[in-house]
Amino acid sequence: MAPPKTYSSISAFHSKLLGAKRILAVCGAGLSASSGLPTFRGKGGMWRNHEAMSLATLDAFERDPGLVWMFYGYRRHMALTVKPNAAHYALAELARKVPGFMCLTQNVDNLHIRASHPPSQLKLLHGSLFSIKCTRCSFLQPSNADDPFCPALAPASLPPPPNQPHPILDPNTPLPSVPAQDLPHCPKCQIGLQRPGVVWFGEQLDHQMLEDIDKWIEAEKVDLVLVIGTSGVVWPAAGFSEQARTKGETSVVVVNMELEEGGRNNRPEKEDFGFEGDAAVLLPRLLEPIIGRMVVEEEGEVRWVGGRS
Ligand code: BV8
C-alpha cells in the first residue's frame, strides 16, 4: 500500500485541530472500505448486473420486492461479517474527547455504532440496514440483526466458498425468485410488507434529523469539517460542508483514496487540507494529538493511550 500522499502537512493540520472547538464530519462508503465493504463507485457500484443505486428506490421495491430484499439481505450479511476499522474507532474517540464534534454518516452499515460512537454525536443520514419498517403502517423495528432476516432470504446469507466471491454476486447464477408472501410482513398491521429502514433515492431524509443538523451547524462557527471517504455526489449530504463554511473561518479537510476525484465540491480554499489514502490509516494519525494512539487488546477490546486528557 503506497504511503498516503498528503497535499497538506500533517503538523499544520495538527495545530489547527488542537485549536478547534467545533468539528463536523461527513462520512461515506470509503470509511468502511477497509473493513471489507464495497463502495458505490467502480465495481462496488454494481450488484449482480444491477446498478446498486437503481435497487435503492421505492420503484424497484414495488416492482420486485424479492430482488431488492435479496440485495439488502446480502448487504446486511456482509455488514454483520465485517468489523469496524481504526477510522470508526478514531471518530468515536474524537466524539468522547471533543463535545463540539458531530459526525454525519451516509453509511447504513452500523459500523460507527459497533465502534461505540456516542449516539448523541452521530447522525445516520440515510438510516440503517438493521432497522426495519412497514411499508403500510410505518411500524418501525429500530434494531434487527437476524441473518437471514427471513428463511426466503437464506441464499443471501450463505458463506461464500473459500477465496471465492459470494455466489449470489454471479449474474450468471439465476437468483431464486422470492414471492411477496414469503417476504417479511409487518408484525403489527399483519398486512404491509416490511422494508429496510434506509432512505431510498427520491425519499426525504428524516425531517427532525435535518432540523437538528441545521440547528447544530447554524449555532456557532464550525472550525473544521472532515469530509471522509465520500464522492460528494449524493444530496443533501453533499451540501453540509459548504453550509458549515458559510459561518466563516472553516477549514474543510478531505480524506479520500483519490483526492482529485470529481463530484466533490473541489474548490479547496487556502485554509483547507487534503490527505490522500486509506481513511483507516490516515484518521488515527490525523487525530492523534487529541485521541492518542489506539491499542487493541487480545480480546479485541480497543483502548487509547496518550492524546489530550
Ligand atoms: C432527497 C441508503 C428530497 C440506501 C442512500 C440535488 C442535486 C442533484 C440530485 C438531487 C439533489 N437533491 C436530491 C437529489 C436526488 C438524489 C441525489 O442526490 N441523487 C444523486 C445521485 C445525484 N438525492 C435523493 O434522492 C435524496 N432524497 O433528496 O429527497 C427529494 C426527493 C426527490 C427529488 C428531490 C428532492 C436521498 C439520498 C439518499 C439515498 N440513499 N443510501 C442504500 O445504501 O442502499 S445514498 C448511498 O449512496 C450512500 O448512503 C451514499 O450517500 C451514496 C454513495 O456515496 P458515497 O458514500 O460517497 O460512496 P461512493 O462509492 O460514491 O464514494 C466512495 C468514496 O470513497 C470515493 O470518493 C472513493 O475515492 C473513496 N474511498 C474508497 N476507498 C477509500 C476511500 N476513501 C478513503 N479510504 C478508503 N479506503
Side-chain angles (χ1 to χ4, degrees), residues 28-30 33-34 39-41 53 56 71-72 75 106-108 126 198-205 229-236 255-258 261 264 277-279:
S34 66
T39 65
F40 288 72
R41 312 264 92 199
M53 287 195 177
F71 170 58
Y72 283 100
R75 291 176 63 196
Q106 299 167 80
N107 300 343
V108 293
H126 299 158
V198 295
V199 179
W200 280 331
F201 287 95
E203 293 185 325
Q204 287 286 11
L205 280 60
T230 182
S231 57
V233 169
V234 171
W235 290 78
V255 176
N256 195 294
M257 198 58 109
E258 296 165 44
E261 179 205 52
R264 232 182 355 267
D278 180 0

Short mmCIF file of all heavy atoms in Angstrom, two decimals, residues 28-30 33-34 39-41 53 56 71-72 75 106-108 126 198-205 229-236 255-258 261 264 277-279, ligand 1:
data_model
loop_
_atom_site.label_atom_id
_atom_site.label_comp_id
_atom_site.label_asym_id
_atom_site.label_seq_id
_atom_site.Cartn_x
_atom_site.Cartn_y
_atom_site.Cartn_z
N GLY A 28 -18.62 8.79 4.15
CA GLY A 28 -19.22 7.99 3.09
C GLY A 28 -18.65 6.59 3.05
O GLY A 28 -17.87 6.19 3.94
N ALA A 29 -18.99 5.87 2.00
CA ALA A 29 -18.67 4.44 1.90
C ALA A 29 -17.18 4.16 1.99
O ALA A 29 -16.77 3.08 2.46
CB ALA A 29 -19.22 3.90 0.58
N GLY A 30 -16.34 5.14 1.62
CA GLY A 30 -14.89 4.92 1.69
C GLY A 30 -14.41 4.67 3.10
O GLY A 30 -13.40 4.00 3.32
N ALA A 33 -14.58 1.03 3.59
CA ALA A 33 -13.94 0.22 2.54
C ALA A 33 -12.91 -0.75 3.13
O ALA A 33 -12.93 -1.94 2.84
CB ALA A 33 -13.28 1.13 1.51
N SER A 34 -12.06 -0.27 4.03
CA SER A 34 -11.02 -1.18 4.52
C SER A 34 -11.54 -2.14 5.59
O SER A 34 -10.82 -3.00 6.05
CB SER A 34 -9.80 -0.41 5.01
OG SER A 34 -10.17 0.32 6.13
N THR A 39 -17.69 0.06 -1.95
CA THR A 39 -18.25 1.40 -2.08
C THR A 39 -19.23 1.38 -3.24
O THR A 39 -19.46 0.34 -3.85
CB THR A 39 -17.13 2.42 -2.36
OG1 THR A 39 -16.57 2.10 -3.64
CG2 THR A 39 -16.06 2.37 -1.29
N PHE A 40 -19.83 2.51 -3.57
CA PHE A 40 -20.81 2.57 -4.66
C PHE A 40 -20.14 2.91 -5.97
O PHE A 40 -20.75 2.91 -7.03
CB PHE A 40 -21.88 3.60 -4.34
CG PHE A 40 -22.84 3.18 -3.26
CD1 PHE A 40 -22.42 3.13 -1.94
CD2 PHE A 40 -24.13 2.80 -3.56
CE1 PHE A 40 -23.28 2.73 -0.93
CE2 PHE A 40 -25.01 2.40 -2.56
CZ PHE A 40 -24.58 2.36 -1.24
N ARG A 41 -18.81 3.29 -5.87
CA ARG A 41 -18.08 3.66 -7.09
C ARG A 41 -17.44 2.41 -7.66
O ARG A 41 -17.27 1.41 -6.97
CB ARG A 41 -16.96 4.65 -6.79
CG ARG A 41 -17.18 5.82 -5.96
CD ARG A 41 -17.48 7.09 -6.72
NE ARG A 41 -18.90 7.22 -6.87
CZ ARG A 41 -19.46 8.01 -7.78
NH1 ARG A 41 -18.70 8.61 -8.65
NH2 ARG A 41 -20.74 8.15 -7.82
N MET A 53 -27.41 1.70 -7.07
CA MET A 53 -28.30 2.85 -6.79
C MET A 53 -29.69 2.63 -7.38
O MET A 53 -30.68 3.12 -6.86
CB MET A 53 -27.66 4.14 -7.31
CG MET A 53 -26.49 4.59 -6.46
SD MET A 53 -26.06 6.29 -6.84
CE MET A 53 -24.74 6.61 -5.67
N ALA A 56 -31.86 0.87 -4.93
CA ALA A 56 -32.15 1.63 -3.70
C ALA A 56 -33.26 2.65 -3.96
O ALA A 56 -33.11 3.86 -3.69
CB ALA A 56 -30.87 2.32 -3.22
N PHE A 71 -30.93 -8.14 -2.26
CA PHE A 71 -29.83 -7.15 -2.28
C PHE A 71 -29.54 -6.68 -0.86
O PHE A 71 -28.39 -6.69 -0.41
CB PHE A 71 -30.27 -5.98 -3.18
CG PHE A 71 -29.41 -4.75 -3.17
CD1 PHE A 71 -28.06 -4.79 -3.50
CD2 PHE A 71 -29.96 -3.50 -2.84
CE1 PHE A 71 -27.28 -3.64 -3.51
CE2 PHE A 71 -29.19 -2.35 -2.84
CZ PHE A 71 -27.84 -2.42 -3.17
N TYR A 72 -30.59 -6.34 -0.11
CA TYR A 72 -30.38 -5.85 1.27
C TYR A 72 -30.04 -6.99 2.22
O TYR A 72 -29.27 -6.82 3.17
CB TYR A 72 -31.57 -5.01 1.73
CG TYR A 72 -31.53 -3.64 1.12
CD1 TYR A 72 -32.31 -3.31 0.01
CD2 TYR A 72 -30.66 -2.67 1.61
CE1 TYR A 72 -32.23 -2.06 -0.57
CE2 TYR A 72 -30.56 -1.42 1.03
CZ TYR A 72 -31.35 -1.12 -0.07
OH TYR A 72 -31.24 0.12 -0.65
N ARG A 75 -26.36 -7.31 1.81
CA ARG A 75 -25.61 -6.22 2.45
C ARG A 75 -25.69 -6.32 3.96
O ARG A 75 -24.70 -6.04 4.66
CB ARG A 75 -26.11 -4.87 1.95
CG ARG A 75 -25.76 -4.64 0.47
CD ARG A 75 -26.33 -3.37 -0.05
NE ARG A 75 -25.78 -2.20 0.63
CZ ARG A 75 -26.36 -1.00 0.54
NH1 ARG A 75 -27.47 -0.84 -0.17
NH2 ARG A 75 -25.85 0.04 1.17
N GLN A 106 -23.30 8.79 5.87
CA GLN A 106 -24.19 8.30 4.82
C GLN A 106 -24.26 6.78 4.86
O GLN A 106 -25.05 6.16 4.16
CB GLN A 106 -23.67 8.76 3.44
CG GLN A 106 -23.59 10.27 3.28
CD GLN A 106 -22.78 10.66 2.05
OE1 GLN A 106 -23.29 10.62 0.93
NE2 GLN A 106 -21.52 10.99 2.24
N ASN A 107 -23.39 6.18 5.66
CA ASN A 107 -23.29 4.72 5.71
C ASN A 107 -24.43 4.11 6.52
O ASN A 107 -24.81 4.64 7.55
CB ASN A 107 -21.93 4.30 6.27
CG ASN A 107 -20.80 4.85 5.42
OD1 ASN A 107 -21.00 5.25 4.27
ND2 ASN A 107 -19.61 4.89 5.97
N VAL A 108 -24.94 3.00 6.02
CA VAL A 108 -26.08 2.32 6.65
C VAL A 108 -25.64 0.99 7.29
O VAL A 108 -26.46 0.17 7.65
CB VAL A 108 -27.19 2.07 5.61
CG1 VAL A 108 -27.79 3.39 5.14
CG2 VAL A 108 -26.68 1.25 4.41
N HIS A 126 -28.84 8.36 6.20
CA HIS A 126 -29.61 7.52 5.27
C HIS A 126 -30.17 6.27 5.95
O HIS A 126 -30.46 5.26 5.30
CB HIS A 126 -28.74 7.15 4.06
CG HIS A 126 -28.31 8.36 3.29
ND1 HIS A 126 -27.21 8.37 2.47
CD2 HIS A 126 -28.81 9.61 3.23
CE1 HIS A 126 -27.07 9.58 1.95
NE2 HIS A 126 -28.03 10.35 2.39
N VAL A 198 -33.81 2.15 5.43
CA VAL A 198 -32.86 3.05 4.81
C VAL A 198 -33.63 4.08 4.00
O VAL A 198 -34.80 3.89 3.67
CB VAL A 198 -31.89 2.28 3.87
CG1 VAL A 198 -31.02 1.33 4.67
CG2 VAL A 198 -32.65 1.56 2.77
N VAL A 199 -32.98 5.22 3.68
CA VAL A 199 -33.59 6.27 2.85
C VAL A 199 -33.28 5.95 1.40
O VAL A 199 -32.11 5.90 1.02
CB VAL A 199 -33.02 7.66 3.20
CG1 VAL A 199 -33.66 8.74 2.31
CG2 VAL A 199 -33.22 7.98 4.68
N TRP A 200 -34.29 5.72 0.62
CA TRP A 200 -34.07 5.40 -0.79
C TRP A 200 -34.01 6.69 -1.60
O TRP A 200 -34.48 7.75 -1.17
CB TRP A 200 -35.18 4.48 -1.30
CG TRP A 200 -34.98 3.04 -0.93
CD1 TRP A 200 -33.77 2.41 -0.73
CD2 TRP A 200 -35.98 2.04 -0.67
NE1 TRP A 200 -33.97 1.09 -0.39
CE2 TRP A 200 -35.32 0.83 -0.36
CE3 TRP A 200 -37.38 2.04 -0.69
CZ2 TRP A 200 -36.00 -0.36 -0.07
CZ3 TRP A 200 -38.06 0.84 -0.42
CH2 TRP A 200 -37.38 -0.34 -0.10
N PHE A 201 -33.39 6.62 -2.80
CA PHE A 201 -33.34 7.80 -3.67
C PHE A 201 -34.76 8.26 -3.97
O PHE A 201 -35.67 7.44 -4.14
CB PHE A 201 -32.58 7.46 -4.96
CG PHE A 201 -31.10 7.33 -4.73
CD1 PHE A 201 -30.53 6.09 -4.50
CD2 PHE A 201 -30.29 8.45 -4.70
CE1 PHE A 201 -29.18 5.96 -4.24
CE2 PHE A 201 -28.93 8.34 -4.43
CZ PHE A 201 -28.38 7.09 -4.20
N GLY A 202 -34.95 9.58 -3.92
CA GLY A 202 -36.29 10.13 -4.14
C GLY A 202 -37.08 10.23 -2.86
O GLY A 202 -38.19 10.77 -2.84
N GLU A 203 -36.53 9.71 -1.77
CA GLU A 203 -37.22 9.81 -0.47
C GLU A 203 -36.55 10.88 0.38
O GLU A 203 -35.33 11.07 0.31
CB GLU A 203 -37.18 8.46 0.27
CG GLU A 203 -37.99 7.36 -0.40
CD GLU A 203 -38.01 6.08 0.44
OE1 GLU A 203 -36.98 5.77 1.11
OE2 GLU A 203 -39.05 5.38 0.43
N GLN A 204 -37.37 11.55 1.19
CA GLN A 204 -36.85 12.59 2.07
C GLN A 204 -36.06 11.97 3.23
O GLN A 204 -36.42 10.90 3.71
CB GLN A 204 -38.03 13.38 2.67
CG GLN A 204 -38.71 14.31 1.70
CD GLN A 204 -37.88 15.56 1.41
OE1 GLN A 204 -36.70 15.62 1.79
NE2 GLN A 204 -38.44 16.50 0.68
N LEU A 205 -35.04 12.67 3.66
CA LEU A 205 -34.36 12.27 4.90
C LEU A 205 -35.26 12.65 6.07
O LEU A 205 -36.17 13.46 5.93
CB LEU A 205 -33.01 12.97 5.02
CG LEU A 205 -31.85 12.38 4.21
CD1 LEU A 205 -32.11 12.37 2.72
CD2 LEU A 205 -30.55 13.09 4.53
N GLY A 229 -13.98 9.83 2.84
CA GLY A 229 -14.39 8.68 2.04
C GLY A 229 -15.73 8.85 1.37
O GLY A 229 -16.54 7.92 1.33
N THR A 230 -15.98 10.05 0.84
CA THR A 230 -17.23 10.24 0.10
C THR A 230 -16.97 10.93 -1.23
O THR A 230 -16.09 11.78 -1.33
CB THR A 230 -18.28 11.04 0.91
OG1 THR A 230 -19.48 11.15 0.14
CG2 THR A 230 -17.77 12.42 1.29
N SER A 231 -17.73 10.54 -2.25
CA SER A 231 -17.57 11.15 -3.58
C SER A 231 -18.35 12.46 -3.65
O SER A 231 -18.25 13.20 -4.62
CB SER A 231 -18.11 10.19 -4.64
OG SER A 231 -19.47 9.89 -4.34
N GLY A 232 -19.17 12.73 -2.61
CA GLY A 232 -19.87 14.01 -2.56
C GLY A 232 -20.87 14.18 -3.69
O GLY A 232 -21.12 15.29 -4.16
N VAL A 233 -21.46 13.10 -4.14
CA VAL A 233 -22.40 13.16 -5.27
C VAL A 233 -23.84 13.19 -4.80
O VAL A 233 -24.72 13.77 -5.45
CB VAL A 233 -22.16 11.93 -6.18
CG1 VAL A 233 -23.26 11.78 -7.21
CG2 VAL A 233 -20.81 12.00 -6.84
N VAL A 234 -24.09 12.60 -3.63
CA VAL A 234 -25.49 12.45 -3.19
C VAL A 234 -25.90 13.61 -2.27
O VAL A 234 -25.18 13.95 -1.33
CB VAL A 234 -25.69 11.08 -2.50
CG1 VAL A 234 -27.04 11.00 -1.84
CG2 VAL A 234 -25.50 9.96 -3.52
N TRP A 235 -27.09 14.16 -2.57
CA TRP A 235 -27.63 15.31 -1.82
C TRP A 235 -28.79 14.86 -0.95
O TRP A 235 -29.40 13.84 -1.28
CB TRP A 235 -28.10 16.39 -2.82
CG TRP A 235 -26.94 17.04 -3.49
CD1 TRP A 235 -26.21 16.52 -4.52
CD2 TRP A 235 -26.34 18.29 -3.14
NE1 TRP A 235 -25.18 17.38 -4.84
CE2 TRP A 235 -25.24 18.47 -4.03
CE3 TRP A 235 -26.62 19.26 -2.19
CZ2 TRP A 235 -24.43 19.60 -3.96
CZ3 TRP A 235 -25.82 20.39 -2.13
CH2 TRP A 235 -24.73 20.54 -3.00
N PRO A 236 -29.05 15.53 0.15
CA PRO A 236 -28.42 16.73 0.66
C PRO A 236 -27.10 16.52 1.41
O PRO A 236 -26.45 17.50 1.78
CB PRO A 236 -29.47 17.29 1.63
CG PRO A 236 -30.19 16.09 2.13
CD PRO A 236 -30.25 15.15 0.95
N VAL A 255 -10.39 13.68 3.26
CA VAL A 255 -9.61 12.44 3.43
C VAL A 255 -10.21 11.45 2.45
O VAL A 255 -11.38 11.06 2.60
CB VAL A 255 -9.70 11.91 4.88
CG1 VAL A 255 -8.97 10.57 5.01
CG2 VAL A 255 -9.15 12.93 5.87
N ASN A 256 -9.46 11.09 1.42
CA ASN A 256 -10.02 10.25 0.38
C ASN A 256 -8.92 9.49 -0.35
O ASN A 256 -7.80 10.01 -0.48
CB ASN A 256 -10.79 11.13 -0.64
CG ASN A 256 -11.70 10.31 -1.53
OD1 ASN A 256 -11.23 9.50 -2.33
ND2 ASN A 256 -13.00 10.49 -1.37
N MET A 257 -9.25 8.31 -0.81
CA MET A 257 -8.26 7.49 -1.54
C MET A 257 -7.85 8.19 -2.83
O MET A 257 -6.76 7.97 -3.35
CB MET A 257 -8.91 6.14 -1.81
CG MET A 257 -7.98 5.01 -2.18
SD MET A 257 -6.74 4.72 -0.92
CE MET A 257 -7.28 3.15 -0.24
N GLU A 258 -8.77 9.00 -3.37
CA GLU A 258 -8.49 9.74 -4.62
C GLU A 258 -8.90 11.19 -4.42
O GLU A 258 -10.05 11.54 -4.63
CB GLU A 258 -9.27 9.14 -5.78
CG GLU A 258 -8.90 7.71 -6.15
CD GLU A 258 -9.98 7.11 -7.07
OE1 GLU A 258 -10.42 7.84 -7.99
OE2 GLU A 258 -10.43 5.99 -6.81
N GLU A 261 -10.56 13.13 -7.36
CA GLU A 261 -11.78 12.58 -7.95
C GLU A 261 -12.82 13.67 -8.09
O GLU A 261 -12.95 14.53 -7.24
CB GLU A 261 -12.29 11.47 -7.04
CG GLU A 261 -13.57 10.81 -7.52
CD GLU A 261 -14.29 10.22 -6.35
OE1 GLU A 261 -14.50 10.94 -5.38
OE2 GLU A 261 -14.57 9.04 -6.39
N ARG A 264 -17.00 15.88 -5.83
CA ARG A 264 -16.96 16.67 -4.59
C ARG A 264 -16.73 18.13 -4.96
O ARG A 264 -15.99 18.46 -5.88
CB ARG A 264 -15.77 16.20 -3.73
CG ARG A 264 -16.11 15.87 -2.33
CD ARG A 264 -14.88 15.46 -1.55
NE ARG A 264 -13.66 15.35 -2.32
CZ ARG A 264 -13.26 14.19 -2.85
NH1 ARG A 264 -13.98 13.13 -2.72
NH2 ARG A 264 -12.15 14.14 -3.53
N GLY A 277 -5.42 8.82 0.74
CA GLY A 277 -5.03 7.49 1.22
C GLY A 277 -6.21 6.83 1.92
O GLY A 277 -7.34 7.32 1.87
N ASP A 278 -5.92 5.73 2.58
CA ASP A 278 -6.95 4.94 3.26
C ASP A 278 -7.35 5.63 4.56
O ASP A 278 -6.50 5.91 5.42
CB ASP A 278 -6.39 3.54 3.55
CG ASP A 278 -7.39 2.65 4.27
OD1 ASP A 278 -8.51 3.12 4.55
OD2 ASP A 278 -7.04 1.50 4.57
N ALA A 279 -8.64 5.89 4.71
CA ALA A 279 -9.13 6.58 5.92
C ALA A 279 -8.73 5.83 7.19
O ALA A 279 -8.40 6.44 8.20
CB ALA A 279 -10.65 6.70 5.85
C1 BV8 B 1 -33.96 13.63 -1.42
C2 BV8 B 1 -29.24 4.45 1.54
C3 BV8 B 1 -35.88 15.03 -1.47
C4 BV8 B 1 -29.71 3.31 0.71
C5 BV8 B 1 -28.51 6.23 0.01
C6 BV8 B 1 -29.69 17.91 -5.87
C7 BV8 B 1 -28.94 17.74 -6.99
C8 BV8 B 1 -28.98 16.52 -7.68
C9 BV8 B 1 -29.77 15.45 -7.24
C10 BV8 B 1 -30.51 15.63 -6.13
C11 BV8 B 1 -30.49 16.85 -5.46
N1 BV8 B 1 -31.32 16.73 -4.40
C12 BV8 B 1 -31.86 15.48 -4.41
C13 BV8 B 1 -31.38 14.80 -5.45
C14 BV8 B 1 -31.71 13.44 -5.76
C15 BV8 B 1 -30.82 12.41 -5.02
C16 BV8 B 1 -29.36 12.54 -5.36
O1 BV8 B 1 -28.57 13.12 -4.63
N2 BV8 B 1 -29.00 11.94 -6.50
C17 BV8 B 1 -27.57 11.93 -6.89
C18 BV8 B 1 -27.21 10.52 -7.29
C19 BV8 B 1 -27.33 12.91 -7.99
N3 BV8 B 1 -30.99 12.54 -3.57
C20 BV8 B 1 -32.04 11.90 -3.01
O2 BV8 B 1 -32.86 11.27 -3.63
C21 BV8 B 1 -32.16 12.05 -1.51
N4 BV8 B 1 -33.52 12.39 -1.17
O3 BV8 B 1 -33.26 14.49 -1.89
O4 BV8 B 1 -35.30 13.79 -1.11
C22 BV8 B 1 -36.10 14.99 -2.86
C23 BV8 B 1 -36.73 13.89 -3.39
C24 BV8 B 1 -36.91 13.88 -4.75
C25 BV8 B 1 -36.38 14.88 -5.58
C26 BV8 B 1 -35.75 15.98 -4.99
C27 BV8 B 1 -35.61 16.03 -3.63
C28 BV8 B 1 -31.89 10.69 -0.80
C29 BV8 B 1 -30.47 10.32 -0.98
C30 BV8 B 1 -30.15 9.06 -0.12
C31 BV8 B 1 -30.16 7.80 -0.95
N5 BV8 B 1 -29.75 6.65 -0.13
N6 BV8 B 1 -28.19 5.18 0.83
C32 BV8 B 1 -28.63 2.28 0.44
O5 BV8 B 1 -27.48 2.48 0.89
O6 BV8 B 1 -28.97 1.28 -0.21
S1 BV8 B 1 -27.26 7.04 -0.87
C33 BV8 B 1 -25.88 5.95 -0.85
O7 BV8 B 1 -25.11 6.31 -1.96
C34 BV8 B 1 -24.96 6.11 0.33
O8 BV8 B 1 -25.66 6.27 1.53
C35 BV8 B 1 -24.16 7.34 -0.07
O9 BV8 B 1 -24.86 8.50 0.25
C36 BV8 B 1 -24.12 7.24 -1.58
C37 BV8 B 1 -22.78 6.73 -2.02
O10 BV8 B 1 -21.90 7.82 -1.92
P1 BV8 B 1 -20.54 7.67 -1.06
O11 BV8 B 1 -20.85 7.19 0.30
O12 BV8 B 1 -19.82 8.94 -1.24
O13 BV8 B 1 -19.79 6.45 -1.77
P2 BV8 B 1 -19.10 6.43 -3.20
O14 BV8 B 1 -18.91 4.98 -3.50
O15 BV8 B 1 -19.83 7.29 -4.16
O16 BV8 B 1 -17.66 7.11 -2.95
C38 BV8 B 1 -16.74 6.47 -2.11
C39 BV8 B 1 -15.59 7.45 -1.95
O17 BV8 B 1 -14.66 6.89 -1.03
C40 BV8 B 1 -14.83 7.73 -3.23
O18 BV8 B 1 -14.57 9.12 -3.28
C41 BV8 B 1 -13.53 6.92 -3.07
O19 BV8 B 1 -12.45 7.57 -3.71
C42 BV8 B 1 -13.35 6.95 -1.57
N7 BV8 B 1 -12.64 5.80 -0.99
C43 BV8 B 1 -12.67 4.49 -1.39
N8 BV8 B 1 -11.92 3.73 -0.54
C44 BV8 B 1 -11.45 4.58 0.43
C45 BV8 B 1 -11.90 5.90 0.14
N9 BV8 B 1 -11.60 6.97 0.89
C46 BV8 B 1 -10.80 6.74 1.99
N10 BV8 B 1 -10.34 5.48 2.34
C47 BV8 B 1 -10.63 4.40 1.59
N11 BV8 B 1 -10.14 3.20 1.95
#
